[in-house]
Amino acid sequence: MKLGIVGLPNVGKSTLFNSLTKAGAQAANYPFCTIDPNVGIVPVPDERLKKLGDLHHSKKVTPAVIEFVDIAGLVKGASKGEGLGNQFLANIRECDAIVHVVRCFEDENVIHVDGSVDPVRDIETINLELIFADLEVLERRISKTGKSAMNDKSLKKELEVLKELKAILEEGKPASVYTNDDQDIMAFVRSLCLLTAKPVIFAANVAEDDLADDGASNPHVQAVRKFAEESGSKVFVVSAQIEQEIAELDDDEKADYLEALGVSESGLDKLIAASYDLLGLLSFLTTGEDETRAWTIKKGTKAPQAAGKIHTDFERGFIRAEVINYDDLMACGSSTAAKEKGLMRLEGKEYVVQDGDVILFRFNV
């Protein structure tokens, strides 16, 4: 999973990126200090992995990972060359979703590029710049496809779709509102990698005092939640400053610190949960003496395609899957005991993999 982080300058974007990835991206109280896209790979916390690894004395435990891409703060006019952010928008076109960091805290010591804190205005500023960036892509594509379509009738449908998308954007709407029953057309739309077609998670960046009640008493957070609900997006409340502090702690210290703040989970935990939910993802597990590992797949994925996530040969030569639920396996204490109790199932090609399935694939090529 790859997530692109966007936001205005000085909203806590790079501070959050640093704390999530511990990558040490520069964070300073002035616009455009992030002038190169920063990339960080973060393991997905999953307590099931360690327990499975211990059970099977695995030599290696490998979590699923998320890749974060942080770009320079966007400002009004970015699509026309203002600021530096637009230069780096191409770096997030390949992302699965966009994490939009929104400032929901008041602090006279931290400059706001527009002079005041108004998260909905800030969201609309960024959205407009993303629309302009997508329009630029579509205009180039329409020009190119239009010339080719004169001699190739098969491209006429593509040209129609491109023009329909352009019309949507010109109305100030995101490309995500476009729908079509033809799956080939939707695949073509996805291939365009339009920024406004991507699902969005809003990170409402608050002061420490607003963390305990999850921003319920913060009017800025409420405004973001209302906007997100209307646009079908997700929201999680985070304090980038607190995340930066806990990033330096070990797991036990982190848990104690969060408890002292009256918070049950870190910003990274909230973001991962929101991402998996928004993108319809789940994790299945494989385990053995060599390695215990988590694999991320889309909900609804069938066993052969899940096997293909590990290796294409597994999918090509799929015979069956030996499946047991993680909780059942841990309750039994071993695979042998689980088999004796009839909890280990043999599943075929039509089996839809569930979150927490521990699977051994049988294949022949």
Side-chain angles (χ1 to χ4, degrees):
M1 179 162 53
K2 189 173 180 179
L3 303 177
I5 303 180
V6 303
L8 290 169
N10 296 346
V11 296
K13 188 171 60 65
S14 291
T15 302
L16 182 62
F17 172 82
N18 285 350
S19 56
L20 294 178
T21 63
K22 298 185 186 176
Q26 185 183 10
N29 181 21
Y30 57 91
F32 318 128
C33 73
T34 315
I35 55 170
D36 288 316
N38 294 283
V39 179
I41 305 290
V42 181
V44 175
D46 190 337
E47 61 183 20
R48 299 174 298 192
L49 286 174
K50 184 182 184 307
K51 292 177 181 175
L52 268 182
D54 290 345
L55 184 66
H56 293 92
H57 308 291
S58 302
K59 294 171 188 168
K60 189 164 70 166
V61 173
T62 308
V65 295
I66 295 179
E67 183 176 337
F68 288 102
V69 182
D70 176 37
I71 65 168
L74 296 168
V75 292
K76 196 176 290 181
S79 56
K80 301 286 185 253
E82 294 293 324
L84 294 162
N86 191 49
Q87 298 172 35
F88 305 106
L89 282 174
N91 294 292
I92 58 171
R93 287 201 178 277
E94 300 302 321
C95 290
D96 298 300
I98 289 174
V99 179
H100 186 160
V101 184
V102 190
R103 177 170 168 175
C104 293
F105 65 89
E106 302 281 353
D107 186 343
E108 61 187 24
N109 296 315
V110 180
I111 305 156
H112 190 291
V113 288
D114 287 330
S116 63
V117 178
D118 182 342
V120 173
R121 176 202 62 206
D122 294 352
I123 289 170
E124 288 172 345
T125 296
I126 296 287
N127 285 354
L128 200 54
E129 295 310 317
L130 298 181
I131 283 172
F132 285 144
D134 280 349
L135 274 170
E136 200 177 300
V137 168
L138 287 175
E139 282 163 3
R140 284 200 304 267
R141 189 69 181 254
I142 286 169
S143 174
K144 183 181 173 185
T145 306
K147 290 171 187 170
S148 303
M150 293 168 70
N151 302 312
D152 185 347
K153 289 182 180 178
S154 66
L155 291 175
K156 285 188 176 176
K157 188 61 188 174
E158 280 189 13
L159 187 59
E160 279 177 34
V161 173
L162 291 168
K163 287 179 178 177
E164 286 170 19
L165 286 165
K166 182 171 179 277
I168 287 169
L169 294 174
E170 285 173 339
E171 289 175 10
K173 296 174 185 174
S176 57
V177 305
Y178 179 86
T179 57
N180 197 299
D181 293 333
D182 188 325
Q183 291 307 304
D184 289 339
I185 287 176
M186 292 309 291
F188 168 66
V189 172
R190 284 192 294 275
S191 75
L192 298 170
C193 295
L194 297 175
L195 295 167
T196 61
K198 297 184 185 300
V200 177
I201 303 162
F202 292 107
N205 187 15
V206 301
E208 178 184 329
D209 296 345
D210 288 324
L211 266 186
D213 70 351
D214 205 34
S217 56
N218 182 319
H220 295 317
V221 174
Q222 297 314 310
V224 174
R225 283 189 168 132
K226 185 172 183 292
F227 186 95
E229 190 177 340
E230 290 167 357
S231 60
S233 302
K234 296 281 179 189
V235 180
F236 73 102
V237 174
V238 65
S239 169
Q241 203 59 50
I242 295 296
E243 289 299 312
Q244 192 170 38
E245 291 171 19
I246 66 174
E248 305 305 319
L249 307 175
D250 64 33
D251 289 345
D252 290 338
E253 290 174 322
K254 191 180 294 183
D256 292 341
Y257 189 29
L258 289 173
E259 189 178 342
L261 290 170
V263 179
S264 60
E265 54 186 353
S266 71
L268 178 59
D269 293 333
K270 288 181 183 177
L271 175 54
I272 289 169
S275 305
Y276 271 60
D277 188 26
L278 186 68
L279 296 171
L281 302 175
L282 58 82
S283 292
F284 74 90
L285 312 162
T286 55
T287 187
E289 196 175 313
D290 287 336
E291 184 181 36
T292 291
R293 183 163 180 168
W295 305 86
T296 303
I297 56 171
K298 286 265 189 190
K299 287 178 183 174
T301 300
K302 292 183 179 179
Q305 288 69 50
K309 186 84 175 173
I310 300 171
H311 197 287
T312 51
D313 283 352
F314 284 27
E315 181 176 358
R316 192 159 51 90
F318 179 88
I319 300 170
R320 64 179 180 273
E322 293 182 12
V323 184
I324 182 170
N325 174 270
Y326 166 82
D327 291 329
D328 289 341
L329 176 57
M330 298 311 293
C332 291
S334 72
S335 298
T336 305
K339 282 179 182 175
E340 287 171 357
K341 290 188 177 182
L343 294 171
M344 185 82 75
R345 312 184 310 276
L346 292 179
E347 302 286 0
K349 292 182 177 181
E350 293 305 307
Y351 177 68
V352 176
V353 176
Q354 303 298 307
D355 186 66
D357 277 350
V358 181
I359 306 180
L360 174 65
F361 293 104
R362 300 291 184 190
F363 70 103
N364 182 31
V365 288

